[in-house]
């Protein structure tokens, strides 16, 4: 389960062992095998697709939205016995880790305390026409995921699943080693969060391009050339490297 890594401004292929060294991950570090329950905050297109694939892979899913658990009855019935509906706070508390997939404008609604100490995968993107203008984002002074991390100071935020069409989450994955396997990007200020996303991507059928810290997560966001484009790891690495900082 190798991945491509950004080191400074230079992109290169890296084995998992080399990645551990360059990101200062201690030897033997990785994703705990008992992280089997995913709390999903947001049950829209991306959240429901992640839930579908996760239960197929054997994860338990606790899924929530802003309208109440009762509105998710049909989705939970479709997902089967490994899934249940809850409030956002309950989903956050139940998950061994969480996937947050809500509009950026709703950032303040993400529960903080139940996510303390947990890895949080942020699938969100900033769309000013939907979310309203955020000058610091427009100027390239920060990133949307960095602001999620600021909102969740005791969590470990990683970017994930933000530059793929939601329908392709369950259709484009292929087994490890498949020629031209699709790759997706991630970024985090915490090595263990990047490792979790890499593991999840691999299980979902994708290779990983690791952008490094959240300050680099803009490279895969809307308006950049990698957004919703199917590429393998080498191609995606080259495309991400060419991304303009502001659009």
């Amino acid at each position: 389960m190798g991945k491509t890594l950004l080191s400074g401004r230079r992109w290169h292929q890296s084995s998992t062992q080399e990645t551990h060294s360059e990101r200062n991950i201690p030897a033997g570090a990785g994703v705990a095998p008992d992280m089997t329950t995913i709390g999903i905050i947001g049950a829209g297109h991306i959240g429901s697709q992640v839930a579908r694939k996760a239960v197929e892979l054997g994860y338990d899913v606790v899924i929530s939205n802003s309208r109440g658990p009762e509105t998710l009855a049909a989705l939970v019935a479709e997902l089967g016995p490994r899934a249940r509906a809850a409030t956002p706070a309950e989903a956050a508390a139940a998950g061994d880790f969480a996937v947050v997939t809500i509009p950026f404008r709703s950032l303040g609604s993400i529960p903080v305390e139940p996510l303390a100490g947990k890895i949080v995968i942020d699938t969100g993107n900033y769309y000013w026409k939907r979310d309203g203008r955020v000058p610091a984002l427009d100027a390239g002074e920060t990133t949307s995921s960095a602001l999620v991390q600021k909102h969740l100071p005791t969590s470990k935020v990683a970017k994930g699943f933000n530059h793929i069409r939601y329908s392709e989450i369950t259709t484009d994955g292929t087994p490890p080693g498949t020629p031209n396997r699709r790759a997706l990007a991630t970024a985090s200020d915490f090595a263990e969060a990047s490792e979790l996303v890499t593991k999840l991507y691999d299980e979902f059928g994708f290779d990983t391009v690791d952008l490094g810290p959240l300050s680099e997560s803009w490279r895969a966001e809307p308006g950049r050339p990698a957004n919703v484009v199917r590429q393998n790891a080498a191609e995606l690495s080259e495309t991400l490297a060419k991304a303009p900082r502001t659009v």
Side-chain angles (χ1 to χ4, degrees):
M1 187 169 59
K3 57 184 175 180
T4 304
L5 181 75
L6 173 64
S7 179
R9 305 293 293 183
R10 180 168 55 86
W11 300 78
H12 61 279
Q13 292 296 114
S14 174
S15 70
T16 303
Q17 186 61 43
E18 289 167 340
T19 300
H20 285 189
S21 176
E22 298 203 27
R23 292 294 299 278
N24 296 315
I25 303 172
V31 180
D34 59 349
M35 295 179 70
T36 59
T37 300
I38 307 176
I40 301 180
I41 299 171
H45 291 316
I46 295 176
S48 59
Q49 285 294 85
V50 169
R52 289 183 178 102
K53 190 64 178 180
V55 297
E56 176 187 319
L57 292 168
Y59 284 94
D60 294 318
V61 167
V62 183
I63 192 165
S64 65
N65 64 11
S66 61
R67 296 181 295 128
E70 66 280 0
T71 66
L72 297 171
L75 176 60
V76 169
E78 174 199 336
L79 293 173
R82 287 194 174 276
R84 65 180 176 90
T87 66
E90 289 167 345
D96 298 313
F97 62 97
V99 175
V100 171
T101 175
I102 61 174
F104 178 75
R105 66 172 183 265
S106 301
L107 168 64
S109 70
I110 304 172
V112 177
E113 291 303 321
L115 293 172
K118 296 183 181 182
I119 294 172
V120 176
I121 302 173
D122 169 36
T123 77
N125 289 313
Y126 164 61
Y127 298 98
W128 70 262
K129 291 182 179 180
R130 177 195 67 187
D131 301 318
R133 288 287 191 184
V134 180
L137 293 175
D138 293 334
E141 296 170 357
T142 188
T143 67
S144 60
S145 289
L147 293 178
V148 174
Q149 180 66 80
K150 183 177 181 181
H151 176 72
L152 299 172
T154 56
S155 301
K156 301 172 182 180
V157 174
K159 195 80 162 183
F161 294 106
N162 74 299
H163 66 106
I164 180 173
R165 292 182 178 89
Y166 72 89
S167 59
E168 295 169 348
I169 292 172
T170 56
T171 61
D172 266 24
T174 55
T178 300
N180 203 39
R181 192 188 199 203
R182 186 170 184 171
L184 298 175
T186 190
S188 180
D189 296 338
F190 298 90
E192 58 268 41
S194 295
E195 286 291 295
L196 175 60
V197 176
T198 297
K199 174 182 181 289
L200 199 64
Y201 277 173
D202 192 57
E203 292 174 343
F204 274 49
F206 304 99
D207 285 339
T208 299
V209 175
D210 189 335
L211 288 164
L214 290 177
S215 60
E216 294 290 324
S217 61
W218 56 269
R219 292 181 179 276
E221 292 184 345
R224 278 79 176 190
N227 195 51
V228 300
V229 176
R230 189 199 187 286
Q231 295 183 308
N232 62 32
E235 294 167 337
L236 180 58
S237 296
E238 293 178 5
T239 302
L240 291 165
K242 298 173 183 176
R245 182 61 186 90
T246 57
V247 293

